[in-house]
């Protein structure tokens, strides 16, 4: 770390000490200080957003920030500040730039990986049910991925699966060893018990993102009787022990109404979730049906609902398919993240099961500079309209072309699917969504009609 | 179960220290000696120094359980000297490493509550502000810790017990004398 970075580091920690004492009073004071010290242009849009949040302390964002201080263990907040702000963002920015300059490739902000293909549940329609427990990344392999990642500044690791908590002892050991990283896991939450929650309190850098999809009836129908209550109980334990958690929801043509409803969001807040991540259903896999894809009307409904909740509800919501405008479109292919499956295949995205690199044969850096990842790097953004970000879902011809050109192979562990087959399922969807996407994009980017109304 | 694993890892480290210096000992050496895998080590400890910290914490607790009050702490200090001599290679390795502060912190966190209670006992009938009481406590804690640290600096010479008695002799009555200087005029 350079000298100025070290000073910055030290300064930020001091700032945090100050903030921790009385966030409600000190946060606005801090902002005033920052405004005096920094030139007008630095981080201007972010500062504007923050100022607006702080000026009127009755808004939902301020409510969220305050709730973090009242609901979550102070040592865990501090750890999050160090690992997430200082390491995963500030240190990352510095190291990443060097690697990018030298290799002209993407350097991710987060690495997603599947510790295991195993799951303790057998939900209808889930691929994990078919994979069984055959495939695992060993402790040493995950350890090596993280060690390599940290060298290029990646401090954010997100477990997918399978059910990551099938390997909970190894995950705790990894959190403990890499105490400068922040870990998150997509989990069905049924393996979170008092003992595991105590371990989370001990290591302080593990955050669950719990899968929920609507109410008791729909959940149990798909995932087995009693599942809903188990999930609710896990959240009760986490909340009682002052541990942070969020939820993740996959929306389909079937459950979209329930997931986008205000009752549902209010329930999430009541359970104590601090963030909610929404995922558009993807028709990935030979057995996946296109019927579950939301219609353009449904996706538009989601677009408006989430934007409304972001202005009113004390929970941090992202809809990865509709929020491309905040991150410049597709974030996969190592631009912000990549995915490693339990077979070690390094994939551009959790949903894109094609690869030309395996972690057992190549280093992370070699994968990032491989033809497939470079095709992502050179092709991004895949569309100027960030409501059509994905090279599969909204631009199916792009993925087909990239897979063909780079010779990447299907990594589906059960039944390899050709890019033509996969993208074929998206052609109609993409065509139908385009007019709506273009209208919404125009409206949010200064269309004459909307401005008049304001 | 987990206490037993931790103890086994601690024993392995202590036995490895007979042959190697602390900075040369890897996690792999420890788990190989102990017959467990790497993830078992990391489940319990972040690194070697985390294990060292646990050893001191655990051993001091056992050692000083009945020797931490007003009447018995002198005896507690003698037990620490004995312990350090018995675990010479561990203690001196840590003393000469970047983590010397672990030893200091361990000693401080044992001595501070004892001296705090002694100071507040002596100051009971005096008009001394809390701030000044804390200050006097810290001075005496530093004196005691300094005594131990210097002993390690000179490789733990054997004549130490006599000097420890002299140190207690210096302290005897001097806390009251020091506190008087901070007494507020009525």
């Amino acid at each position: 770390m350079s000298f100025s970075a070290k000073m910055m580091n030290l300064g930020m920690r001091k700032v945090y000490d100050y903030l921790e004492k009385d966030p409600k009073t000190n946060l606005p004071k801090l902002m005033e200080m920052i405004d005096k010290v920094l030139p007008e242009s630095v981080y201007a849009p972010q500062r504007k957003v923050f100022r607006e949040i702080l000026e009127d302390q009755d808004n939902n964002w301020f409510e969220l920030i305050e709730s973090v201080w009242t609901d979550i263990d102070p040592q865990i907040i501090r750890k999050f500040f160090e690992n997430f702000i200082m390491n995963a963002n500030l240190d990352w920015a510095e190291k990443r730039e060097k690697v990018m300059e030298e290799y002209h490739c993407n350097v991710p902000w987060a690495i997603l990986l599947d510790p295991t293909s195993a799951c303790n549940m057998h939900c209808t329609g889930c691929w994990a049910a078919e994979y069984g427990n055959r495939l695992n990344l060993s402790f040493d392999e995950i350890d090596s991925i993280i060690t390599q990642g940290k060298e290029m500044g990646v401090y954010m690791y997100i477990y997918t699966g399978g059910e990551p908590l099938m390997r909970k002892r190894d995950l705790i050991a990894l959190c403990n060893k890499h105490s400068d990283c922040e870990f998150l896991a997509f989990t069905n939450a049924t393996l979170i018990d008092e003992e595991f929650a105590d371990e989370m309190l001990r290591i302080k850098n593990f955050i669950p993102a719990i899968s929920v999809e609507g109410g008791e009836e729909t959940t149990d129908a798909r995932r087995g009787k009693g599942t809903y209550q188990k999930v609710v109980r896990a959240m009760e334990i986490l909340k009682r022990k002052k541990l942070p958690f969020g939820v993740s929801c996959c929306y389909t043509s079937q459950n979209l109404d329930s997931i986008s409803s205000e009752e549902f969001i209010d329930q999430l807040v009541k359970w104590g979730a601090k963030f909610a991540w929404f995922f558009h259903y993807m028709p990935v896999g030979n057995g996946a049906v296109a019927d579950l894809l939301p219609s353009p009307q449904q996706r538009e409904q989601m677009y408006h609902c989430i934007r409304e909740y972001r202005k009113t509800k004390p929970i941090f919501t992202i809809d990865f398919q509709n929020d491309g405008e905040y991150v410049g479109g597709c974030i996969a292919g190592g631009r912000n993240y990549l995915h490693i499956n339990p077979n070690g295949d390094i994939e551009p995205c959790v949903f894109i099961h094609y690869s030309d690199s395996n972690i057992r044969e190549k280093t992370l850096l070699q994968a990032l500079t491989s033809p497939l990842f470079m095709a992502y790097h050179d092709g991004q953004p895949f569309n100027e309209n960030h409501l059509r970000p994905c090279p599969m879902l909204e631009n199916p011809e792009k993925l087909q072309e990239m897979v063909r050109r780079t010779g990447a192979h299907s990594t589906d562990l059960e039944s390899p699917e050709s890019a033509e087959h996969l993208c074929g399922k998206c052609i109609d969807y993409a065509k139908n969504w385009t007019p709506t996407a273009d209208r919404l994009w125009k409206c949010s980017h200064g269309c004459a009609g909307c401005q008049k109304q304001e | 179960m987990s206490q037993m694993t931790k103890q086994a890892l601690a024993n392995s480290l202590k036995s490895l220290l007979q042959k190697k210096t602390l900075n040369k000992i890897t996690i792999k050496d420890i788990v190989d000696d102990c017959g467990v895998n790497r993830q078992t080590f990391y489940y319990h400890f972040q690194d070697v120094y985390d294990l060292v910290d646990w050893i001191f914490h655990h051993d001091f607790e056992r050692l000083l359980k009945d020797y931490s009050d007003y009447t018995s702490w002198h005896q507690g200090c003698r037990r620490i000297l004995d312990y350090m001599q018995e675990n010479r290679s561990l203690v001196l390795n840590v003393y000469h490493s970047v983590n010397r502060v672990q030893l200091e912190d361990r000693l401080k966190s044992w001595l501070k509550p004892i001296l705090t209670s002694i100071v507040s006992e002596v100051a009971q009938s005096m008009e001394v502000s809390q701030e000044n009481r804390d200050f006097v406590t810290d001075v005496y804690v530093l004196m005691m810790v300094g005594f131990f640290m210097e002993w390690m600096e000179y490789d733990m010479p054997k004549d130490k017990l006599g000097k420890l008695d002299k140190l207690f002799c210096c302290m005897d009555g001097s806390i009251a004398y020091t506190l008087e200087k901070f007494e507020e005029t009525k």
Side-chain angles (χ1 to χ4, degrees), chain A residues 1 21 26 35 49 66 101 107 191 291 325 351 362 379 385 406 425 428 449:
Chain A
M1 208 185 292
K21 282 183 196 127
N26 291 346
D35 283 339
V49 172
E66 249 201 313
E101 237 168 62
V107 176
L191 297 171
D291 292 354
E325 61 176 304
F351 300 114
K362 288 189 189 175
N385 178 344
T406 61
K425 285 180 276 188
D428 283 345

Side-chain angles (χ1 to χ4, degrees), chain A residues 172-349:
Chain A
I172 293 289
L174 287 159
C175 287
N176 201 27
K177 182 178 184 206
H178 299 284
S179 63
D180 50 354
C181 296
E182 196 66 23
F183 294 88
L184 199 131
F186 288 102
T187 173
N188 62 38
T190 57
L191 297 171
I192 295 176
D193 51 16
E194 300 275 340
E195 190 195 346
F196 185 72
D198 287 336
E199 293 298 85
M200 282 174 61
L201 275 175
R202 172 169 73 99
I203 47 140
K204 302 180 185 67
N205 53 349
F206 184 86
I207 302 177
I210 297 172
S211 310
V212 282
E213 34 187 282
E216 183 155 11
E217 224 165 277
T218 46
T219 302
D220 285 6
R222 205 169 90 75
R223 305 173 69 190
K225 207 168 158 39
T227 305
Y228 184 81
Q229 285 306 328
K230 277 190 204 160
V231 173
V232 171
R233 181 167 156 63
M235 291 196 274
E236 182 274 317
I237 294 173
L238 294 170
K239 193 178 178 189
R240 172 159 43 83
K241 292 192 188 268
K242 302 191 114 186
L243 286 157
F245 68 93
V247 298
S248 86
C249 316
C250 173
Y251 58 90
T252 69
S253 59
Q254 303 297 309
N255 70 5
L256 192 136
D257 278 341
S258 129
I259 279 185
S260 61
S261 72
E262 190 170 2
E263 293 82 10
F264 182 66
I265 295 289
D266 288 340
Q267 183 62 59
L268 298 180
V269 173
K270 218 160 120 193
W271 276 328
K274 296 295 170 224
F275 62 90
W277 286 358
F278 294 93
F279 295 91
H280 185 288
Y281 167 78
M282 296 290 184
V284 178
N286 275 321
V289 290
D291 292 354
L292 288 173
L293 284 167
S295 69
Q297 294 75 20
Q298 285 181 312
R299 182 165 169 183
E300 181 173 359
Q301 179 183 333
M302 201 68 195
Y303 173 92
H304 291 303
C305 285
I306 296 299
R307 274 165 177 68
E308 181 57 29
Y309 299 146
R310 260 204 298 264
K311 278 190 237 152
T312 52
K313 304 292 179 188
I315 183 166
F316 180 59
T317 46
I318 306 180
D319 173 348
F320 284 87
Q321 216 58 32
N322 281 336
D323 284 333
E325 61 176 304
Y326 305 108
V327 288
C330 169
I331 58 172
R335 189 172 152 255
N336 290 87
Y337 93 99
L338 55 80
H339 176 244
I340 303 176
N341 76 7
N343 193 41
D345 298 311
I346 307 170
E347 301 164 341
C349 175

Side-chain angles (χ1 to χ4, degrees), chain A residues 140 143 176-177 199 202, chain B residues 38-39 42-43 45-46:
Chain A
D140 289 341
D143 183 29
N176 201 27
K177 182 178 184 206
E199 293 298 85
R202 172 169 73 99
Chain B
R38 283 171 78 235
Q39 49 267 51
Y42 285 117
Y43 186 80
F45 303 110
Q46 279 178 24

Side-chain angles (χ1 to χ4, degrees), chain A residues 89-129:
Chain A
N89 284 295
L90 295 180
D91 194 42
W92 166 75
E94 196 181 337
K95 285 195 181 134
R96 164 185 191 251
E97 203 160 315
K98 279 183 201 142
V99 179
M100 286 174 87
E101 237 168 62
E102 195 173 341
Y103 297 94
H104 306 286
C105 64
N106 279 329
V107 176
W109 171 78
I111 292 175
L112 276 68
L113 65 163
D114 301 353
T116 179
S117 62
C119 183
N120 59 326
M121 296 180 73
H122 302 281
C123 308
T124 320
C126 175
W127 54 268

